[in-house]
Amino acid sequence: MEISNPLTDAIENVFVTGINFKNANVNIRSAFSITTPKVLECYELAKSYKFSNFIVLSTCNRTEIYGIGSEKLAEEIILKVTGQDPEVFSQYKFTKHSEEALEHIFYVASGLDSQILGDYEILGQFRGACKTAKAHLLLGPVFERMANTCIQASKEIKTKTALSKGTVSASYAAIEVIKERFESQTINVLLIGTGKLGNNIAKNIRHYLPEVRLSVTNRTRARTQELVNMYGFDEIAFDALNEKAKDFEVIIICANISQLLPEYFAHANTRLMLDLSIPESVHPDLYKRNTPEVLNIDDISRILERSIDQRKAYLPVAKNIISRHVAAFTDWLKLYKQRENIIVVKEMLGKESQQCPYLLSLDDTTREQKVHNALQAFVKKLKQNPDLVFEPEQVIASFKALNHSQIESNN
């Protein structure tokens, strides 16, 4: 079996590959969506291919893999877990390498690459993906440092710009659509799915639409109970979904289901369906009808575009912040390649400090400081030219010569 051979942790071996909203519509994204169990399967395959830095990020807008090594093997993993046609994947995929790949990852984590510009929810999804990768021992030192730097950049953008203010998330967008269609009306709303997105929508409905009568349902009843107990929403049994759905003016779908067929809505009260699930849950024939109105995640994103221009004014500042953080991480990564040399030099300096008569004549604190200064001088030279080949013996020879001159001057 072929394995990933990253060679080194050098920046040129960093890659991004996958499918996102920029080159694939919701149907294609649905086909390549990787559910939680499949994400775990991806990580097991990645370990068998000997990856050590490997992150799977699958949201409603993207299925992307970030790694160090062979992007071809990462693409093979995507195809294995989704069971999709390689030719279709090749038609819609994108791939980035080196600094371009790093910049993409930073843009994604900061919401600059989101379908809804400035969508801050992506940061939580990115952090969750990194946490899962780490749990499977696939967030090596390089990507852990990268992830932390991405998070710092995202937080700085949120603090220093207004890029994330206003309607920037699907959970709030759903509220805006309902307000626009049913302003000041008392309506019955059914929320299907109480995961993170559904939970956020429920909270927003309570906060922004207190007059709405909300009912919730979920395959796992415990999650539904949490919302019911916290906010006093009504609950309907998941196995009664077909029977009850027609009684609601608005249905919001945040979980992949297959029950909502056209025949259930022939004489229904339903006027609006928001299908935010990936893959889509609403049968395609429902889109052909005048009632109910059906909007998917792409439709929601287009509705939000009216506020995008206001956020674009902050893009130059946000991009500068990202450029600075990418540069800092790149400098760290170049130096990280020399970590073995640094460790060797540190050990050799420590041994020399225990042998040189001049250093032995000093107190422990002063001697340790001189060793520290010598090591820092070595690291500084590496920062100035990370690709320069340094022989540890040369550093020790210079250190010995310096201390010998101190012995001569003392005599």
Side-chain angles (χ1 to χ4, degrees), residues 220-231:
T220 306
R221 189 165 182 260
R223 286 193 174 186
T224 305
Q225 283 291 303
E226 288 178 14
L227 285 175
V228 170
N229 295 336
M230 188 177 300
Y231 299 106

Side-chain angles (χ1 to χ4, degrees), residues 245-376:
K246 64 181 182 296
D247 298 329
F248 294 87
E249 285 89 354
V250 177
I251 298 175
I252 307 171
I253 309 166
C254 300
N256 181 238
I257 57 175
S258 57
Q259 287 92 338
L260 299 183
L261 300 175
E263 53 263 33
Y264 297 140
F265 297 92
H267 305 286
N269 294 321
T270 310
R271 295 160 57 189
L272 173 66
M273 299 179 71
L274 303 179
D275 188 357
L276 307 182
S277 61
I278 294 288
E280 291 179 285
S281 295
V282 171
H283 194 281
D285 287 350
L286 271 170
Y287 284 90
K288 302 174 184 178
R289 300 187 175 190
N290 293 326
T291 303
E293 178 185 11
V294 182
L295 302 177
N296 63 22
I297 188 68
D298 287 353
D299 298 320
I300 292 291
S301 298
R302 282 190 284 271
I303 290 171
L304 292 174
E305 286 178 358
R306 58 176 175 258
S307 62
I308 293 296
D309 288 341
Q310 296 174 351
R311 289 178 226 129
K312 284 182 178 178
Y314 297 98
L315 272 176
V317 177
K319 288 181 177 180
N320 284 337
I321 291 171
I322 287 179
S323 294
R324 176 161 44 79
H325 282 277
V326 169
F329 173 73
T330 301
D331 288 344
W332 174 85
L333 183 55
K334 289 176 179 178
L335 189 61
Y336 182 74
K337 291 194 300 180
Q338 294 279 5
R339 61 193 181 280
E340 292 183 1
N341 267 340
I342 295 173
I343 292 171
V344 169
V345 168
K346 182 178 180 180
E347 291 175 350
M348 294 178 73
L349 287 171
K351 290 179 181 178
E352 178 61 24
S353 70
Q354 299 298 323
Q355 298 171 2
C356 175
Y358 167 67
L359 291 174
L360 288 172
S361 69
L362 305 174
D363 62 83
D364 290 346
T365 301
T366 305
R367 185 167 63 252
E368 289 173 3
Q369 186 61 49
K370 286 187 174 293
V371 170
H372 175 76
N373 291 344
L375 182 63
Q376 290 303 110

Side-chain angles (χ1 to χ4, degrees), residues 171-187 189 201-214 233 250 252 272 274:
S171 61
Y172 185 74
I175 307 306
E176 288 288 286
V177 173
I178 295 171
K179 285 172 65 176
E180 186 178 283
R181 303 294 197 278
F182 303 94
E183 187 174 4
S184 301
Q185 297 182 39
T186 301
I187 56 173
V189 176
I201 288 175
K203 291 178 182 178
N204 285 337
I205 287 177
R206 170 60 70 216
H207 183 73
Y208 296 104
L209 301 173
E211 71 280 4
V212 162
R213 293 191 295 266
L214 180 66
F233 299 137
V250 177
I252 307 171
L272 173 66
L274 303 179

Side-chain angles (χ1 to χ4, degrees), residues 1-7 15 46 48-54 67-71 73-74:
M1 181 184 67
E2 186 180 357
I3 63 173
S4 177
N5 180 16
L7 301 179
F15 71 82
S48 72
Y49 288 151
K50 306 302 181 185
F51 280 100
S52 56
N53 290 276
F54 192 93
I68 296 178
S70 169
E71 79 279 2
L73 290 179

Side-chain angles (χ1 to χ4, degrees), residues 98-108 322-323 326:
S98 192
E99 285 91 345
E100 187 182 14
L102 273 178
E103 186 177 81
H104 175 84
I105 299 170
F106 275 78
Y107 272 45
V108 168
I322 287 179
S323 294
V326 169

Side-chain angles (χ1 to χ4, degrees), residues 2 15 17 51 69-77 93 95:
E2 186 180 357
F15 71 82
T17 189
F51 280 100
S70 169
E71 79 279 2
K72 297 299 182 184
L73 290 179
E75 291 167 2
E76 185 178 310
I77 289 173
K93 75 167 185 176
T95 305

